Amino acid sequence: MAAQKKKKLTPVQQEYQELAKKKEPPRPVGRNCLLAFLTGGTICMIGQLFSEMFIHWFGFTEKTAGSPTVAVLIFISVVLTCLGLYDKIAQWAGAGSAVPVTGFANSMCSAAIEHRSEGLVLGTGSNMFKLAGSVIVFGTVAAFVVGIVHMLIDLGGR
């Protein structure tokens, strides 16, 4: 793979870059990390509450309670997205709302809402699954790699 040449900046461009860096407001990294942690943790805690509810009230086992729990979290995320609330939460929380399954549901629902005027198939369907395709491919490849590593570790222990 050939190395790409970096384009050198002219003195005026360099001066502009320096000025832009001076004017850029500082990023509250610690605050953003804390908000992301608290939001992601809260979403997971709500998921755990639903899981416990399915176990104690509806007779699910710990293994079987996972699927309905995820379905409920996805449903809540889609409803909040349709009401315009999930985006407000995401602006406040940052990555904490994007990482759990609710963030993926929000992304899919947002794409469907945004492109609905283009039609059901070419608008909603195709744009919604542009995002899903890359996530599914990455998830499949990651699962394959983890499976190979797990197999190699398991073989090494015998």
Side-chain angles (χ1 to χ4, degrees), residues 5 60 63 68 76 86 99 104 118 129 132 144 148-149 153:
K5 287 186 178 181
F60 283 84
K63 257 186 174 178
I76 291 170
Y86 200 93
V99 175
F104 182 65
E118 298 171 24
F129 287 104
F144 178 76
I148 295 293
V149 169
I153 290 171

Side-chain angles (χ1 to χ4, degrees), residues 3 57 64 66 140 149:
W57 292 350
T64 59
T140 304
V149 169

Side-chain angles (χ1 to χ4, degrees), residues 113-130:
I113 290 169
E114 184 177 340
H115 298 284
R116 71 179 182 266
S117 64
E118 298 171 24
L120 189 61
V121 174
L122 296 178
T124 302
S126 66
N127 286 296
M128 185 170 64
F129 287 104
K130 282 181 186 175

